[in-house]
């Protein structure tokens, strides 16, 4: 049996056919066909296209927010019912519901559609330790997204539940190994919903934090009210954001709600293979949001290497031929600032004035000795870092011993608490952590409990001999072990700096970046003669730079007849031109 009619996207009457048993449909006028999800997808596209500037301004006025805050994908307008629409998708991006809202009134789901998370599709490929906020409803989502954008947290993920009491068990699967924070409403439904969500997340092994509203807060207040009231009262957005973070707490489960054992998450092999692998903060050296350590005997160049790396990330230059992602850097100089000024000046000596100024703004130093194995000290570090506005992409702890005063390196319990503190910093700041640590007297292995080695993603070893520093890779968890990195010490003012062996002097990083930029804009390949004309470098200098880039696997050389062409290696295509 078939139903015959006309869909809103159909161009003719009685051309739209639906099988009443299977739900499959076909439009004989346009040739479109599909299932329920396909039909909802086409309807959602029409609604999204119908949200013109007039309707966007009206929605913004109703929600008391800027127009830019509501110009989002999956928000539309239904002219037939004069309602605003919100498209809900599943974890794979398939449309599962279209909720409509008229003012005054609350959003209502399409009859027969399943309840879902708004923006659930953003979770499936999210990296581990990503920060995920859970709010109630689309209005709260828009308000919190707007505030996060203004405080520099644009990469935080937000999902919205249709109501606190609707939290489903299967939603937890995409929240595993994430930093989950729940901002439910300040009413009885929100409090009951928080308990329900906490029970489900705890059963899945997820330790989430929930908004504990101040006793002075009005009943039935939500996060949108908080954001808008703060804006109207002239409270800086950074203070508003920190005020929310201060009120996040772990909820204790009632005895009857305690899971009998930790929940387990099952994934198919296809799901695992579709997950986006983590990228590199420093190419083939330090993955993003990883925990690494460089170990060596005293005066083996560990600090020189770490400071050069910190300066490179802060300045946004190549790190001895390796591309990197630039950003803020925090160095915890727990051994004190003695000699640090001269070492930093030496490390920045080869930078251009613009890069030097950028590194000076982005590199932060903390010269106190925190207790990383103490949760309260970790709280203080997080609080201090959040005041920067933009969190660091790299955190350097110099050294492990000075960052766990009172702790025992040889105790697996104390080392476990230290590792837990480091993991928390990496997770909540979404940064990579580099730990400087000493080896035993004979230099054969790192000092202390073996729990450290097991917890590290990357373990580097530094050796300094006859003015040459060699960095070898003792452990690489998720990538092939690279060749050792050879560097040399060069006198610079009152200190020394590191330079690549045969790198041709302090301007090599600039030359390599220039060559990579030229090759990126010419994917078909470039001859040496053309590279020389475009770069302006002497032939011998250019060939030396190309040799280094090929050695570090950034550039490929292909012989075409009598002429050789150079092009970027696939792994090197990144934001080098920025």
């Amino acid at each position: 049996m078939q139903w015959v009619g006309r869909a809103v996207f159909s161009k003719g009457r009685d051309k739209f056919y639906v099988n009443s048993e299977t739900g499959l449909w076909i439009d004989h006028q346009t040739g479109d066909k599909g299932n329920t999800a396909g039909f909802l997808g086409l309807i959602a596209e029409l609604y999204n296209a119908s949200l013109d500037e007039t309707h966007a301004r009206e929605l913004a006025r109703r929600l008391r927010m800027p127009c830019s805050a509501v110009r989002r994908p999956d928000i539309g307008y239904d002219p037939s019912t004069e309602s605003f629409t919100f498209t809900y998708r599943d974890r794979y991006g398939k449309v599962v519901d279209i909720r409509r809202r008229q003012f005054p009134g609350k959003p209502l789901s399409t009859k027969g559609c399943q309840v879902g998370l708004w923006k659930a599709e953003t979770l499936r490929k999210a990296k581990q330790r990503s920060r995920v906020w859970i709010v109630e409803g689309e209005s709260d989502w828009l308000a919190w997204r707007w505030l996060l954008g203004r405080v520099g947290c644009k990469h935080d993920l937000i999902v919205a539940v249709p109501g606190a009491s609707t939290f489903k068990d299967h939603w937890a699967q995409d929240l595993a190994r994430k930093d989950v924070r729940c901002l439910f409403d300040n009413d009885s439904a929100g409090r009951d919903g928080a308990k329900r969500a906490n029970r489900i997340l705890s059963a899945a092994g997820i330790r989430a934090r929930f908004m504990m509203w101040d006793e002075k807060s009005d009943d039935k207040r939500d996060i949108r009210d908080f954001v808008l009231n703060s804006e109207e009262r002239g409270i800086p957005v950074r203070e508003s954001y920190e005020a929310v973070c201060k009120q996040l707490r772990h909820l204790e489960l009632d005895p009857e709600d305690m899971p009998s054992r930790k929940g387990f998450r099952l994934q198919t092999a296809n799901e695992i293979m579709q997950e986006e692998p983590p990228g590199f903060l420093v190419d083939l050296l330090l993955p993003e949001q990883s925990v690494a350590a460089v170990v060596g005997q005293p005066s083996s160049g560990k600090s020189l290497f770490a400071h050069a790396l910190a300066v490179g990330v802060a300045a946004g230059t190549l790190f001895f031929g390796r591309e990197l992602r630039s950003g803020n850097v925090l160095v915890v100089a727990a051994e004190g600032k003695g000699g640090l000024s001269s070492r930093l000046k030496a490390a920045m000596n080869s930078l251009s004035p613009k890069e030097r100024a950028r590194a000076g703004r982005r590199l932060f130093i903390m010269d106190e000795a925190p207790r990383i194995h103490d949760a309260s000290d970790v709280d203080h570090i997080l609080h201090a870092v959040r005041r920067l506005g933009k969190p660091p992409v790299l955190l350097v702890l110099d050294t492990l011993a000075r960052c766990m005063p009172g702790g025992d390196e040889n105790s697996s319990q104390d080392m476990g608490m230290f590792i837990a503190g480091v993991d928390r910093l990496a997770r909540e700041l979404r940064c990579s952590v580099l730990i400087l640590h000493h080896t035993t007297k004979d230099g054969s292995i790192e000092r202390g409990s073996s729990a450290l080695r097991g917890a590290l993603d990357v373990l580097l070893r530094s050796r300094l001999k006859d003015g040459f520093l060699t960095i070898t890779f003792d452990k690489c968890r998720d990538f092939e072990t690279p060749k050792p990195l050879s560097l040399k010490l060069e006198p610079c003012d009152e200190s020394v700096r590191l330079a690549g062996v045969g790198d041709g002097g302090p301007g090599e990083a600039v030359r390599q970046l220039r060559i990579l930029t030229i090759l990126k804009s010419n994917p078909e390949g470039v001859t040496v003669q053309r590279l020389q004309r475009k770069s302006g470098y002497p032939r011998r200098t250019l060939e030396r730079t190309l040799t280094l880039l090929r050695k570090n696997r950034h550039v490929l050389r292909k012989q075409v007849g009598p002429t050789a062409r150079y092009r970027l290696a696939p792994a090197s295509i990144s934001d080098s031109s920025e």
Side-chain angles (χ1 to χ4, degrees):
M1 180 178 177
Q2 292 189 108
W3 297 326
V4 182
R6 180 179 181 179
V8 293
F9 53 80
S10 180
K11 296 181 179 179
R13 291 182 177 275
D14 298 332
K15 296 295 183 179
F16 185 77
Y17 288 76
V18 182
N19 186 308
S20 60
E21 295 181 356
T22 64
L24 298 177
W25 58 271
I26 183 171
D27 190 325
H28 291 292
Q29 184 74 21
T30 65
D32 294 321
K33 59 182 178 180
N35 53 15
T36 303
F39 178 79
L40 289 174
L42 289 173
I43 295 294
E45 289 179 8
L46 287 173
Y47 289 159
N48 294 347
S50 299
L51 185 72
D52 57 21
E53 195 63 28
T54 301
H55 296 133
R57 285 198 298 268
E58 175 63 15
L59 179 59
R61 185 184 68 83
R62 295 282 190 175
L63 297 178
R64 295 162 46 209
M65 286 190 286
C67 191
S68 60
V70 302
R71 295 292 291 183
R72 296 279 179 179
D74 288 340
I75 297 181
Y77 182 75
D78 180 4
S80 62
T81 60
E82 296 183 347
S83 59
F84 295 96
T85 63
F86 303 88
T87 303
Y88 277 63
R89 302 176 185 271
D90 64 10
R91 64 196 307 264
Y92 299 104
K94 182 176 65 176
V95 179
V96 294
D97 188 14
I98 299 177
R99 283 164 59 86
R100 291 172 172 81
R101 180 173 185 179
Q102 293 177 321
F103 292 94
K106 294 184 177 180
L108 297 175
S109 290
T110 300
K111 186 176 180 180
C113 289
Q114 64 186 43
V115 175
L117 283 173
W118 199 39
K119 303 299 182 180
E121 67 276 11
T122 62
L123 296 177
R124 189 169 66 91
K125 292 186 177 182
K127 297 178 181 179
Q128 295 184 20
R129 302 170 183 161
S130 296
R131 186 180 302 147
V132 180
W133 301 87
I134 303 177
V135 299
E136 279 194 59
E138 302 87 1
S139 299
D140 281 11
W141 190 99
L142 293 170
W144 194 239
R145 176 77 279 165
W146 177 62
L147 184 140
L148 289 182
R150 296 185 66 189
V151 299
C153 298
K154 297 180 180 180
H155 297 292
D156 285 15
L157 302 176
I158 315 174
V159 293
V161 295
S165 60
T166 63
F167 203 94
K168 306 297 183 184
D169 290 5
H170 65 271
W171 291 348
Q173 64 177 326
D174 288 323
L175 297 170
R177 299 191 293 275
K178 308 291 192 303
D179 178 13
V180 180
R181 305 173 176 203
C182 302
L183 307 179
F184 288 172
D185 295 353
N186 186 34
D187 54 23
S188 58
R191 288 185 284 272
D192 291 342
K195 292 180 180 179
R196 171 184 171 84
N198 190 36
R199 182 170 65 250
I200 293 173
L201 293 172
S202 296
I206 301 170
R207 183 82 162 142
R209 286 187 286 174
F210 293 80
M211 179 73 169
M212 297 289 103
W213 290 92
D214 192 289
E215 294 180 356
K216 299 179 181 179
S217 299
D218 298 333
D219 193 31
K220 296 186 178 180
R221 195 180 194 192
D222 58 26
I223 199 65
R224 173 175 162 270
D225 296 326
F226 180 90
V227 172
L228 297 181
N229 291 345
S230 298
E231 180 75 9
E232 291 170 357
R233 292 162 57 190
I235 300 175
V237 289
R238 170 56 55 182
E239 292 185 17
S240 301
Y241 173 76
E242 291 180 350
V244 171
C245 292
K246 289 178 182 178
Q247 297 178 75
L248 295 172
R249 299 286 188 275
H250 293 294
L251 293 182
E252 296 298 330
L253 289 172
D254 296 330
E256 62 271 17
D257 293 334
M258 291 292 290
S260 57
R261 63 183 300 172
K262 182 179 178 180
F264 295 97
R265 181 192 183 201
L266 303 180
Q267 290 181 280
T268 65
N270 286 336
E271 291 174 329
I272 294 293
M273 291 187 291
Q274 288 175 4
E275 289 184 355
E276 183 180 350
F280 280 93
L281 179 65
V282 182
D283 189 31
L284 295 177
L285 179 67
L286 191 60
E288 291 182 335
Q289 299 181 40
S290 63
V291 177
V294 53
V295 301
Q297 293 183 310
S299 301
S300 62
K302 299 186 300 296
S303 294
L304 276 175
F305 175 78
H307 294 154
L309 180 61
V311 168
V313 172
T317 64
L318 293 178
F319 183 70
F320 301 110
R322 286 171 161 82
E323 295 188 21
L324 49 79
R325 183 170 71 87
S326 63
N328 287 350
V329 179
L330 173 61
V331 176
V332 179
E335 291 190 331
K337 293 189 295 185
L340 182 59
S341 174
S342 57
R343 286 200 299 271
L344 290 178
K345 289 179 181 178
M348 295 185 188
N349 181 267
S350 62
L351 303 178
S352 67
K354 184 177 180 180
E355 292 166 344
R356 194 177 301 121
R358 186 189 304 140
R361 292 192 309 268
R362 290 179 171 180
L363 183 55
F364 297 86
I365 311 295
M366 187 173 78
D367 62 344
E368 299 174 86
R371 294 163 50 88
I372 302 298
H373 58 303
D374 186 331
S376 62
D377 270 22
V378 175
D379 286 335
H380 290 310
I381 295 175
L382 291 172
H383 178 68
V385 169
R386 286 172 184 141
R387 294 171 61 185
L388 300 177
K390 192 172 183 179
V393 297
L394 174 64
L395 170 62
V396 179
L397 301 178
D398 186 8
T399 60
L400 184 149
R402 292 296 184 94
C403 288
M404 59 179 303
D408 183 1
E409 292 179 3
N410 298 303
S411 167
S412 59
Q413 181 176 356
D414 286 2
M415 186 62 79
M417 294 172 65
F418 175 85
I419 293 168
V422 170
D423 285 342
R424 184 182 168 200
L425 289 170
R427 180 179 64 254
E428 300 204 15
L429 297 178
R430 301 178 66 197
C431 70
S432 298
V433 180
L434 180 64
I435 307 166
L436 275 59
H437 189 35
H438 293 100
T439 59
T440 55
K441 289 184 178 180
D442 60 4
S444 60
I445 195 170
E446 65 275 4
R447 234 165 45 185
S449 170
S450 60
L452 176 65
R453 176 180 284 260
L456 294 174
D457 298 302
V458 178
L459 178 59
L460 307 173
R461 185 180 297 274
S462 67
R463 292 185 177 88
L464 183 61
K465 184 177 181 181
D466 298 331
F468 287 87
L469 175 65
T470 303
I471 302 294
T472 55
F473 294 77
D474 271 18
K475 176 183 178 181
C476 298
R477 191 191 298 275
D478 294 318
F479 60 100
E480 183 180 353
T481 303
K483 295 180 180 179
L485 178 61
S486 297
L487 307 170
K488 62 182 178 180
L489 273 62
E490 289 184 347
C492 184
D493 296 330
E494 299 177 357
S495 184
V496 293
R497 74 173 190 95
L498 292 177
V501 176
D503 74 347
E508 180 60 31
V510 177
R511 285 194 290 273
Q512 291 188 7
L513 182 59
R514 172 65 176 155
I515 297 304
L516 290 172
T517 302
I518 295 172
L519 294 179
K520 187 174 182 179
S521 61
N522 294 271
E524 73 282 357
V526 185
T527 63
V528 175
Q529 291 81 1
R530 189 178 177 190
L531 273 176
Q532 188 176 357
R533 288 196 305 271
K534 283 181 169 289
S535 66
Y537 297 141
R539 180 65 176 260
R540 292 184 63 181
T541 301
L542 177 61
E543 290 179 343
R544 184 170 60 244
T545 298
L546 288 171
T547 300
L548 287 170
L549 289 171
R550 290 181 61 200
K551 179 181 178 182
N552 291 315
R553 293 182 288 183
H554 293 302
V555 169
L556 299 178
R557 180 180 184 272
K558 185 177 181 180
Q559 191 75 26
V560 182
T563 306
R565 286 182 175 270
Y566 294 86
R567 61 182 178 86
L568 278 184
S572 294
I573 299 176
S574 66
D575 55 356
S576 60
S577 62
E578 300 177 4

